[in-house]
Amino acid sequence: MTRPDDPRTAAARVFAEGGAFGELLAGIDWAATPLGPPVSWPGPLVDTLRLMLTSEHAMALYWGAEFATLYNLGSTPIVGAKHPWALGRPYKEVFPEVWAHPVSSHFHYVTGTRKPLLVPNELLIMERHGFLEQCYFDSAFQPVLLDDGTAGGVLQILTETTGRVLGERRLRLLSETGTRTAGLPTPGEVAHVVAEVAGSYPEEIPFLGLYLASEPGMRRPAASTGLRSAPETASLSAADGSVVAARLAQVVADGAPARLPAAAITGGSTAGQHAAATRIPVEEALALPLYGAGQVEGVLVVGLNPCFPPAGTYHDFLEVLASAVAGALSAALAHESAALAHEEQRRRAEALAELDRAKTTFFANVSHEFRTPLTLLLGPLQQALADEDRPERREQLELAERGALRLLKQVNTLLDVARAEAGQMRPALEPVDLAGATAELAGVFRSAFEAAGLTLEVDCPPLPKPVPLDREMWEKIILNLLSNALKFTFTGGARVEMAADGARARLTVTDTGTGIPADELPRLFERFHRVRGARSRSHEGSGLGLVLVKDLVEAHGGTVGVDSRLGQGTTVTVDLPFAAAHRPRPAPPAAGAG
């Protein structure tokens, strides 16, 4: 009988070529699995395994009627603590919690139709490390055909997008909290707006209760969300003997977060709407102190989604949220008190500066975490594209490369906006023929417009003077404006014009696209704002493109404006001063807006 590690078998040769991971595969008793001994494995299975073992990207193969599991080294973080036990086992035994829905339907669709399937950002509640986690994945499923034309198995090429999805969602929550609480005159209004915003993000905040100081030793419930019944309306005192009152008193006394049973806040009822709420109830809450004027002015109590690891980025996010709420409350208290002392002004400025630094660090850290896997993904993709000569494979690889490059562009935009907000955006100015540079950059887009059946007109006659310009920043401005024009235009096209207007050079980008409703125009330059219901060629985007354009133009001492009519098109106007009139934008103050 031929042994699994017999060099005469094709599978054994693949194992031998697979390095340390191949040695691991060679040591498995495959005869005890649904796959059977490697000597019996069909050629398509062995060929696909070779492809997987030579790839740095995460891949998995599910073979036969039971979809027995094979995967490569890149997939081991996704398999988690079930590696290497999962090798050779039916998928429904490895991850029974997601087998019935939706994974089974994906596999049977691919094997039944023999067609590929793309599933972006799919939510799966998986047990990988001994507890259920809320995970997101981009997956491409491909049938692996046998010689008779039937599907022997399913190849999955997957990328875990959990960090990106959660990071973007949490950034939106923080941004909306800061924007909507700015300028509110009373702590009560701040509390209600915070609860309203949190109620729109039940995945991150299953429930929330906000308690403010009423008198020494007392805390009154100011607002709540995600609870079937609001917290007690009377003020809470440590002398009451209740769990909530005692724990809030501890948080106020220690000035540090503390945990408490969720039932103490919910009264024992089910609360929250996180992704697994029907199976995994919220069992814990986190109470966070809210500092103002050098002391704890309130406590923010949030339900903890049990599908997120309680430490790490989730805990950091909640602390940044508490800082944002505390800053808004401090501002409201200052507004109420006309006799705010100079020392209080200084403390509030320091608190806001610390919040700004925490937000900027949070944005930058999340963005850098996105860039690392993207860089690792693009390298093997581009190498595979260079080596691949099969049209069907090239099409799949090019699709993956385009998606990765699009995501990398969005991450870079997020980093640029974070730098601008922190006052770190400093243009490297040099005299530039702005008309010529603009015409050259616009020309890059001509093929993209023509491919979409649109026209692109460029009218950039020479200007009388050079313009002080950072070429890299100007490239980003043109890229964002023409990308928007292409994205929202379906008939007609776009026109790029450059002309002198007194002491300034004026760029005008006009399209015949879908246009923008009048009530949306005032919010176009808000971070993460996207026009609701807008028809576009694609749905990606972070709502930061125009924000970045505004920051870059203002860094050159210029201005930007937008005029649009719904259904008729949009015109964006950028004015930059000529050399004699240029005045750089001053650096922003240390304490930024929430």
Side-chain angles (χ1 to χ4, degrees):
M1 178 176 179
T2 306
R3 295 177 300 145
D5 60 348
D6 192 321
R8 292 173 295 174
T9 69
R13 289 194 294 273
V14 172
F15 294 158
E17 297 166 0
F21 198 83
E23 292 181 13
L24 171 66
L25 296 178
I28 292 177
D29 182 11
W30 296 105
T33 73
L35 291 170
V39 70
S40 67
W41 292 0
L45 187 159
V46 176
D47 292 341
T48 305
L49 179 61
R50 176 179 286 109
L51 169 68
M52 291 165 51
L53 294 183
T54 56
S55 173
E56 295 181 11
H57 195 74
M59 294 184 179
L61 176 63
Y62 311 103
W63 194 262
E66 297 187 66
F67 298 106
T69 302
L70 283 167
Y71 50 84
N72 65 357
L73 181 62
S75 293
T76 54
I78 295 173
V79 178
K82 295 183 178 182
H83 170 72
W85 169 86
L87 287 165
R89 295 182 180 273
Y91 188 95
K92 63 182 178 182
E93 293 181 10
V94 179
F95 292 114
E97 62 275 9
V98 295
W99 168 250
H101 178 79
V103 174
S104 175
S105 61
H106 296 341
F107 287 179
H108 286 105
Y109 170 85
V110 172
T111 56
T113 64
R114 290 173 291 174
K115 293 180 180 179
L117 176 66
L118 295 177
V119 184
N121 288 334
E122 182 170 36
L123 168 61
L124 297 177
I125 306 297
M126 303 175 65
E127 183 181 338
R128 304 188 292 180
H129 299 283
F131 59 92
L132 290 175
E133 297 177 67
Q134 188 168 327
C135 311
Y136 295 84
F137 298 92
D138 280 345
S139 293
F141 299 94
Q142 180 78 27
V144 179
L145 302 181
L146 298 172
D147 293 339
D148 62 2
T150 61
V154 177
L155 173 65
Q156 181 185 20
I157 304 172
L158 68 164
T159 300
E160 182 163 1
T161 60
T162 303
R164 173 169 62 84
V165 171
L166 297 184
E168 288 178 352
R169 194 162 65 209
R170 291 166 185 174
L171 288 175
R172 285 196 299 271
L173 191 159
L174 292 171
S175 177
E176 190 173 345
T177 299
T179 300
R180 293 187 56 187
T181 57
L184 293 179
T186 67
E189 290 179 81
V190 170
H192 284 288
V193 169
V194 168
E196 185 178 327
V197 172
S200 301
Y201 296 87
E203 300 284 9
E204 264 56 50
I205 312 290
F207 66 79
L208 174 147
L210 207 163
Y211 299 81
L212 299 178
S214 55
E215 56 185 272
M218 305 290 286
R219 297 291 177 271
R220 61 178 177 85
S224 67
T225 187
L227 301 172
R228 293 191 175 181
S229 59
E232 305 94 321
T233 56
S235 294
L236 297 175
S237 168
D240 296 342
S242 72
V243 173
V244 175
R247 198 57 57 89
L248 295 186
Q250 176 188 343
V251 170
V252 172
D254 297 344
R259 298 199 180 199
L260 67 159
I265 300 294
T266 65
S269 62
T270 302
Q273 304 170 29
H274 61 89
T278 55
R279 287 188 289 158
I280 316 172
V282 178
E283 295 182 349
E284 279 194 306
L286 183 65
L288 296 144
L290 301 176
Y291 280 95
Q295 60 184 358
V296 178
E297 295 287 353
V299 180
L300 181 69
V301 179
V302 294
L304 296 176
N305 185 333
C307 294
F308 295 148
T313 57
Y314 185 41
H315 189 275
D316 293 343
F317 153 71
L318 293 176
E319 290 200 330
V320 172
L321 174 62
S323 295
V325 174
L329 289 171
S330 293
L333 288 168
H335 187 279
E336 284 187 321
S337 175
L340 186 65
H342 176 73
E343 181 61 19
E344 178 62 21
Q345 291 273 18
R346 186 185 66 80
R347 290 175 181 172
R348 176 170 170 262
E350 290 178 353
L352 289 174
E354 184 59 33
L355 169 61
D356 206 52
R357 286 192 292 270
K359 282 172 51 183
T360 301
T361 301
F362 183 80
F363 291 179
N365 287 345
V366 170
S367 300
H368 282 297
E369 289 179 8
F370 292 170
R371 289 182 60 145
T372 300
L374 280 172
T375 303
L376 294 175
L377 169 61
L378 280 168
L381 269 178
Q382 291 164 348
Q383 181 62 44
L385 274 170
D387 297 340
E388 186 59 66
D389 57 2
R390 288 176 291 179
E392 67 278 6
R393 287 291 187 190
R394 284 194 62 84
E395 182 178 358
Q396 295 168 3
L397 291 170
E398 288 170 351
L399 176 63
E401 183 189 36
R402 286 196 299 273
L405 288 171
R406 185 182 302 120
L407 178 56
L408 184 60
K409 171 191 167 186
Q410 294 178 6
V411 170
N412 286 335
T413 299
L414 180 61
L415 274 172
D416 285 337
V417 171
R419 292 192 189 104
E421 187 180 39
Q424 299 172 0
M425 191 69 73
R426 296 288 187 272
L429 301 178
E430 59 177 299
V432 173
D433 173 12
L434 187 61
T438 302
E440 180 180 354
L441 290 170
V444 175
F445 278 80
R446 191 174 303 280
S447 60
F449 275 77
E450 291 175 351
L454 304 173
T455 62
L456 177 61
E457 299 177 25
V458 180
D459 183 13
C460 296
L463 296 173
K465 299 178 183 179
V467 175
L469 196 69
D470 184 309
R471 290 180 180 271
E472 182 178 352
M473 290 185 180
W474 187 247
E475 180 178 351
K476 291 177 180 178
I477 292 170
I478 299 298
L479 171 67
N480 276 285
L481 294 180
L482 285 179
S483 295
N484 276 350
L486 178 61
K487 181 177 179 180
F488 296 102
T489 301
F490 296 86
T491 59
R495 179 177 178 82
V496 179
E497 297 179 85
M498 180 65 69
D501 183 21
R504 291 180 169 246
R506 171 164 291 180
L507 166 72
T508 305
V509 179
T510 305
D511 65 57
T512 58
T514 56
I516 303 167
D519 60 346
E520 293 279 1
L521 285 173
R523 301 190 62 193
L524 283 183
F525 296 104
E526 291 182 11
R527 286 178 300 150
F528 304 107
H529 178 71
R530 299 177 67 181
V531 177
R532 295 183 180 180
R535 180 185 175 210
S536 64
R537 295 182 179 276
S538 60
H539 299 286
E540 76 274 5
S542 56
L544 291 172
L546 283 177
V547 176
L548 181 59
V549 167
K550 182 174 183 290
D551 285 332
L552 295 177
V553 170
E554 290 180 349
H556 286 79
T559 59
V560 59
V562 179
D563 183 34
S564 185
R565 297 291 183 274
L566 189 62
Q568 299 180 26
T570 301
T571 297
V572 181
T573 303
V574 175
D575 286 337
L576 295 182
F578 287 114
H582 176 66
R583 293 292 184 273
R585 181 181 62 175

